[in-house]
Amino acid sequence: MSATDTTVSTTTHADIHRYDPQAVEPKWRAAWKDAAIYRVDDGDPKPKWYSLTMYPYPSGVLHVGHWYAFAVPDVFARLQRMRGYNVLFPMGFDAFGLPAENAAIRNNIHPATWTFENIAQMEHQYDLMGAMIDWSRKVVTCDPEYYRWNQWIFLQMLERGLAYRAGGSVWWCPNDQTVLANEQVLEGNICERCGAEVHKRDLEQWYFKITDYAEELLRDLDGLDWPERVKTMQRNWIGRSEGARLSFRLETGDELEVFTTRPDTVFGATFMVLAPEHPLVATITTDEQRETVEAYVQQARDTSEIERQTTDAAKKKTGVFTGAYAINPVNDERIPVWIADYVLMTYGTGAIMAVPAHDTRDFAFARAFDLPIRVVIQPEDQETLDAATMAEPYVGPGRMVNSGQFDGTPVPDGLPQVIAWLDEQGRGTAEVTYRLRDWLISRQRYWGTPIPVVYCDDCAMVPVPEEQLPVELPLDAAFTPTGQSPLVSHESFLNTTCPRCGGAARRETDTMDTFVDSSWYWFRYTSPHFNAAPFDPAKAAPWSPVDLYCGGIEHAILHLLYARFFTKVLRDIGLTEEDEPFKRLRNQGMILAAEGTKMSKSRGTQVGPDELVARHGADALRLHLMFLGPWEQGGPWNDRGITGMERFIRRAFQIVSEVGERRLDGEAPDKDVAALRSLTHRTIRRVTEDIDDFQFNTMIAALIEFTNELMKLRDQPVAQTASWREAAETLTLLMAPSTPYVAEEMWSRLGNAFSVHQQTWPVFDAALATVETVEIPVQINGKVRDKIVVETGLAQDALLAAAKASERIQEQISGKTVIKEIAVPGRLVNIVVR
RNA sequence: GCGGGCGUGGCGGAAUGGCAGACGCUGCGGACUUAAACUCCGCUGGGGAAACCCGUGCGGGUUCGACUCCCGCCGCCCGCACCA
């Protein structure tokens, strides 16, 4: 044992400056908790900063993707705090939804049990990560204290006509046994949740009238600091089109309305096309055509949406003639009315005027069925278009021809004239249409917010009075999906009394889409237990809007559009004055499994952080994830390189840790001190700017370079001076947001008072951050031939002279003619010779 | 088809039009160690003994100078997808 003792004592001595995350992390985690250093105080007079990260689904355990998504916002929030902001950086759980229900069914456990167990586990994992979360503000959406306010907002919307029930053709997922919103259908007919093929069904459902806000949702995008691609996706999804609504009289006497963005081509309309589902189809079809038309309508209905919608250039247009004719209102021509599946009932009026000469689809249809084509727009400075020979439609600008009084009118400039005339004639009006559809919010599943209305035989649909909220989701329901809500078979939930007449009534059994929960949750963090409204406007106002919102790009449309819609509704209700919820948005890329595919729990390709933390420490994992590459890019996971982060942490720790033992009253040459201070201040600048620019990988590179330089200097005289302490302290502070644990330990080893996370972020001194000399490459004909060291800020002429003084350069120039000399101060010199 | 993004060593990646490959990993060599791990030092795009030459998907162009800007291709990824 005595031999062992010796070993232990020497090892201990040697290891004093060796960082051990396993010993240090739990210590500081406990200290932070005891001192409640992350507790956010509403009354703090400092300027506010609201940093929000998309709350996770409590799916079980955190994987490295969660860490990736969360580490960066955590670093940013910590920086803002050190900069002197009062930072709100909350977290919660998006706890309702299908996965809980499905997992519950699979494991024969109640969704609530499953969910709350997962939340406890995940909360612990966030703490392991060293996240700066104030858990006292936690929001859990399956808590009645939360979802009662979904119901309250629903009732407000119902009162304002923004929530309504309507029948219609809706998407149905046969696997999840529920309807879906348009936004939740991918690639034409794939369920966003489970990947099953979905199809249409005619059902009566609940909707939110998001279309009322289409224009505002589109317009307000302009003022947001969001990634351009997200704004583009939202613009496309809203799909605003300007044009006109035109009315065509049918020979049957019916009026057929169409929407067109090209009213200037109305003189070229040579036929009309209705969607197969158009209500007029049945009434206008002639007896001779009835059989053909009915067969086509049936076929269209049976053809899966994906087949119908795929725009394969080779896909042939199909359709049939109804036997009916319309009169073109501008030239009184008799034109045939067809039906075809390329016209969609869900857009515009479900009917079009076909102008084959100037529309790609109409052109293909006309060619396929040998329908007339008439040119009415002639491009300028080009050969006259000939309908008989043209190989493709002309869709560009030009002048109107074959258009009566409008001949010669330029388009698109002349469009307003045409619309004005149509309006005068009573044939049409200017109209704007949107692709955006109302949001279908009812679901036939169990684990969600009950929709707070009842149906009474006498009073019909009656809203549940506000004071009876919440309508609680019964925890003892049999929730296996059957195609209708499981609540239908829960007698005591279903049967109730009518709030209006007191008679027998049935509750609505559908639950709300979980995207309702996430459409306002960030307001709730500002007053998580407020019980008079969804949130306390007085508390929310000072924090609003969210300054920085971070999350996955997969929410570019769904959640972010709904959240914007809700904000505008809540504004109109009077709960907030904000028009927009999230001022600045940043999306992280996705961390994929090593083989480049999406990480999947079921395929076992999900990488968990716990083992990595145990082996390398939380700080090293945080750094590794940030160092992988640009945060907005994502990429396949690998753990190569995490050792590099560990090495960096150890080196930084060692340097700082030794400082505590030094007297730091030594002397060193002035230029060495100046060089060290310059390095320190340049590093402050780099790290600060990189975080502000969301360039976390290069931010870490700057920290590593700083540490490597210090490592080289630690035996030099300059390491015995006060500027060495400045360097060590600065390194510690700069590391604090990224590596909260080791930075705390370093701060403590420096002999400073707890906590490093309550210190002020260092500010660089521009004068100190300069360098005295700079190395300038000297090129001959664009190739580097020498490098000269000159004073920083040396002017152009002097720089050129210095370059030409170089022997190597003189050799290169001698005997040649100098054609051009370029000298860029601080950059380079290039001499062009021949 | 339309819209957006990307393409750089063995790998992840860096580079306001100005020294391509910062930083990290890997690999190789060395020091320390009884030994290993850890740590430390050096080298690490290709060719060449060297001077140098070649090199950022391909082909052109602008420029004293292009990974960066422009034009035309090729490949990959994402979004939308008959939106009248």
Side-chain angles (χ1 to χ4, degrees):
Chain A
M1 280 308 279
S2 64
T4 316
D5 285 347
T6 319
T7 317
V8 167
S9 74
T10 50
T11 311
T12 308
H13 179 72
D15 280 358
I16 267 185
H17 303 303
R18 190 184 157 77
Y19 183 62
D20 177 9
Q22 270 56 55
V24 169
E25 290 182 2
K27 176 177 78 180
W28 292 120
R29 194 157 50 239
W32 295 333
K33 198 168 187 183
D34 288 348
I37 67 164
Y38 301 135
R39 189 59 152 269
V40 183
D41 175 8
D42 285 317
D44 196 312
K46 291 186 295 224
K48 71 96 181 181
W49 181 270
Y50 191 171
S51 251
L52 181 70
T53 304
M54 291 181 188
Y55 63 174
Y57 192 84
S59 53
V61 293
L62 296 189
H63 53 82
V64 289
H66 287 106
W67 273 64
Y68 187 73
F70 201 76
V72 156
D74 187 60
V75 171
F76 202 94
R78 286 173 176 279
L79 167 69
Q80 291 302 82
R81 206 166 96 123
M82 291 176 78
R83 271 177 169 168
Y85 288 96
N86 186 29
V87 175
L88 176 57
F89 186 59
M91 187 43 70
F93 293 91
D94 186 14
F96 266 141
L98 278 177
E101 216 176 310
N102 290 338
I105 292 162
R106 230 178 7 254
N107 305 322
N108 197 25
I109 176 178
H110 196 277
T113 314
W114 188 84
T115 301
F116 281 104
E117 279 175 6
N118 288 342
I119 288 175
Q121 162 92 359
M122 291 169 78
E123 220 176 294
H124 173 64
Q125 287 182 299
Y126 275 113
D127 286 341
L128 284 184
M129 200 194 290
M132 191 183 79
I133 297 170
D134 178 357
W135 286 112
S136 71
R137 290 170 181 266
K138 178 173 62 171
V139 161
V140 176
T141 57
C142 65
D143 185 340
E145 189 192 49
Y146 183 83
Y147 70 70
R148 72 177 285 192
W149 300 111
N150 284 341
Q151 296 172 340
W152 185 89
I153 294 168
F154 175 94
L155 293 175
Q156 292 288 319
M157 289 173 74
L158 189 62
E159 203 171 288
R160 285 170 168 73
L162 291 171
Y164 66 93
R165 196 168 159 81
S169 178
V170 298
W171 290 107
W172 174 264
C173 175
N175 182 44
D176 290 335
Q177 298 269 301
T178 182
V179 297
L180 300 170
N182 288 332
E183 288 82 359
Q184 290 158 358
V185 177
L186 309 175
E187 294 162 39
N189 70 338
I190 301 298
C191 172
E192 180 252 349
R193 282 254 83 106
C194 70
E197 198 170 306
V198 297
H199 52 86
K200 287 271 176 135
R201 267 199 181 183
D202 280 323
L203 292 168
E204 205 175 281
Q205 296 293 320
W206 283 99
Y207 293 86
F208 281 160
K209 213 167 179 191
I210 190 171
T211 51
D212 268 11
Y213 289 83
E215 189 63 36
E216 201 191 339
L217 286 166
L218 182 69
R219 179 180 16 99
D220 287 349
L221 282 171
D222 295 338
L224 299 176
D225 176 9
W226 284 22
E228 209 47 53
R229 66 169 168 157
V230 174
K231 295 207 267 184
T232 304
M233 281 163 75
Q234 292 218 352
R235 283 191 191 104
N236 292 343
W237 188 262
I238 295 167
R240 183 183 196 274
S241 287
E242 255 180 54
R245 178 182 283 251
L246 306 185
S247 186
F248 284 63
R249 164 91 26 93
L250 299 184
E251 285 183 340
T252 55
D254 297 289
E255 284 287 331
L256 179 56
E257 304 233 299
V258 300
F259 173 75
T260 177
T261 54
R262 294 294 305 272
D264 54 313
T265 63
V266 62
F267 289 87
T270 51
F271 57 99
M272 309 205 66
V273 188
L274 306 187
E277 306 86 349
H278 196 286
L280 273 180
V281 171
T283 56
I284 65 169
T285 300
T286 59
D287 291 341
E288 307 88 82
Q289 292 300 106
R290 189 163 306 278
E291 209 171 308
T292 321
V293 166
E294 279 172 2
Y296 185 80
V297 170
Q298 188 56 46
Q299 185 203 320
R301 188 171 294 153
D302 293 346
T303 309
S304 82
E305 203 78 7
I306 191 84
E307 277 173 65
R308 226 182 111 169
Q309 288 190 349
T310 302
T311 313
D312 191 345
K315 196 205 166 198
K316 283 210 350 229
K317 290 275 182 286
T318 62
V320 294
F321 179 45
T322 60
Y325 285 86
I327 304 300
N328 186 334
V330 296
N331 57 15
D332 292 332
E333 263 185 16
R334 188 168 182 263
I335 58 177
V337 180
W338 287 61
I339 62 169
D341 64 6
Y342 82 90
V343 173
L344 309 174
M345 194 57 222
T346 50
Y347 185 77
T349 64
I352 61 156
M353 64 170 197
V355 185
H358 307 293
D359 179 276
T360 318
R361 297 145 302 179
D362 298 346
F363 184 85
F365 194 80
R367 282 280 191 256
F369 295 98
D370 207 17
L371 290 159
I373 296 173
R374 180 185 305 140
V375 171
V376 291
I377 305 292
Q378 172 61 38
E380 295 189 65
D381 311 323
Q382 279 184 40
E383 256 175 66
T384 304
L385 293 174
D386 179 0
T389 59
M390 59 202 293
E392 52 183 31
Y394 178 74
V395 296
R399 283 184 188 277
M400 291 171 70
V401 293
N402 298 322
S403 299
Q405 73 199 84
F406 286 104
D407 283 354
T409 306
V411 288
D413 295 352
L415 263 169
Q417 267 173 266
V418 180
I419 295 173
W421 178 74
L422 286 164
D423 204 352
E424 271 168 39
Q425 303 289 309
R427 311 285 169 90
T429 47
E431 187 175 78
V432 174
T433 58
Y434 301 89
R435 214 184 70 113
L436 183 68
R437 299 268 78 90
D438 278 339
W439 172 16
L440 196 172
I441 59 134
S442 43
R443 297 290 181 273
Q444 292 69 51
R445 292 291 298 243
Y446 166 67
W447 194 232
T449 306
I451 292 175
V453 301
V454 303
Y455 301 96
C456 164
D457 289 339
D458 296 328
C459 314
M461 194 268 288
V462 181
V464 173
E466 201 182 313
E467 59 277 9
Q468 289 179 23
L469 298 184
V471 175
E472 278 205 51
L473 183 69
L475 291 178
D476 57 349
F479 46 80
T480 311
T482 56
Q484 57 180 3
S485 170
L487 296 178
V488 172
S489 41
H490 192 287
E491 297 287 325
S492 64
F493 177 84
L494 181 69
N495 298 315
T496 183
T497 51
C498 172
R500 196 163 291 164
C501 69
R506 284 163 296 105
R507 286 194 188 279
E508 168 65 65
T509 52
D510 282 358
T511 54
M512 293 184 203
D513 182 5
T514 52
F515 279 98
V516 173
D517 310 349
S518 54
S519 292
W520 64 278
Y521 74 104
W522 65 94
F523 283 117
R524 186 74 183 168
Y525 288 133
T526 64
S527 46
H529 306 294
F530 192 61
N531 60 13
F535 52 90
D536 181 350
K539 293 271 193 189
W543 287 112
S544 300
V546 170
D547 295 284
L548 173 65
Y549 195 24
C550 292
I553 186 72
E554 68 274 17
H555 293 107
I557 294 176
L558 285 157
H559 162 57
L560 290 171
L561 192 65
Y562 297 151
R564 296 181 59 223
F565 163 56
F566 257 56
T567 302
K568 293 172 191 301
V569 171
L570 293 170
R571 174 202 61 198
D572 293 346
I573 290 174
L575 287 174
T576 178
E577 289 182 0
E578 303 298 328
D579 295 323
E580 285 289 333
F582 317 124
K583 207 151 68 179
R584 186 179 184 201
L585 174 74
R586 291 295 178 267
N587 301 111
Q588 79 271 9
M590 201 188 299
I591 288 296
L592 305 168
E595 59 272 20
T597 53
K598 214 168 162 172
M599 275 193 189
S600 138
K601 206 171 171 183
S602 54
R603 271 178 314 195
T605 53
Q606 222 172 56
V607 178
D610 294 0
E611 198 191 320
L612 293 160
V613 171
R615 196 158 2 148
H616 307 282
D619 289 333
L621 180 55
R622 288 168 64 107
L623 286 180
H624 176 61
L625 286 164
M626 285 188 274
F627 196 63
L628 273 175
W631 188 64
E632 316 209 341
Q633 186 179 299
W637 163 256
N638 72 72
D639 57 9
R640 294 186 310 274
I642 194 166
T643 64
M645 298 302 111
E646 273 184 284
R647 280 178 199 153
F648 157 64
I649 288 170
R650 275 200 289 262
R651 287 155 69 91
F653 179 78
Q654 182 165 2
I655 289 166
V656 172
S657 175
E658 286 168 0
V659 169
E661 296 172 354
R662 297 192 177 193
R663 298 182 45 179
L664 301 174
D665 53 0
E667 299 270 317
D670 285 352
K671 73 167 178 36
D672 291 356
V673 171
L676 175 61
R677 300 202 69 197
S678 166
L679 175 68
T680 302
H681 284 260
R682 274 180 287 134
T683 305
I684 296 171
R685 180 169 60 197
R686 282 178 70 185
V687 169
T688 309
E689 288 177 356
D690 279 352
I691 299 180
D692 277 330
D693 294 342
F694 262 65
Q695 291 173 355
F696 297 89
N697 53 340
T698 53
M699 178 273 286
I700 293 165
L703 289 173
I704 294 173
E705 282 175 57
F706 186 35
T707 303
N708 290 347
E709 287 302 314
L710 294 181
M711 205 69 189
K712 286 180 196 157
L713 296 173
R714 64 201 253 258
D715 297 326
Q716 305 280 316
V718 75
Q720 301 297 333
T721 65
S723 60
W724 187 252
R725 185 175 174 95
E726 180 192 26
E729 230 163 66
T730 301
L731 177 61
T732 305
L733 292 168
L734 293 181
M735 285 173 70
S738 307
T739 54
Y741 290 108
V742 69
E744 192 73 275
E745 182 68 17
M746 283 156 71
W747 191 248
S748 144
R749 298 277 178 122
L750 283 168
N752 292 324
F754 182 83
S755 156
V756 72
H757 302 299
Q758 291 167 321
Q759 304 307 312
T760 303
W761 186 250
V763 176
F764 74 92
D765 180 328
L768 289 173
T770 57
V771 284
E772 280 179 13
T773 59
V774 60
E775 191 185 63
I776 302 283
V778 182
Q779 302 180 331
I780 300 295
N781 292 345
K783 292 193 190 288
V784 179
R785 293 302 179 211
D786 198 11
K787 292 179 182 184
I788 55 173
V789 175
V790 300
E791 214 178 293
T792 305
L794 190 68
Q796 195 173 7
D797 292 351
L799 178 60
L800 187 58
K804 286 162 92 173
S806 144
E807 267 179 47
R808 289 179 55 103
I809 295 304
Q810 281 176 5
E811 278 168 33
Q812 296 274 343
I813 298 177
S814 76
K816 303 211 172 95
T817 315
V818 174
I819 295 171
K820 193 162 186 173
E821 297 167 332
I822 297 105
V824 184
R827 280 292 178 194
L828 60 30
V829 175
N830 187 16
I831 300 172
V832 185
V833 299
R834 191 166 55 204

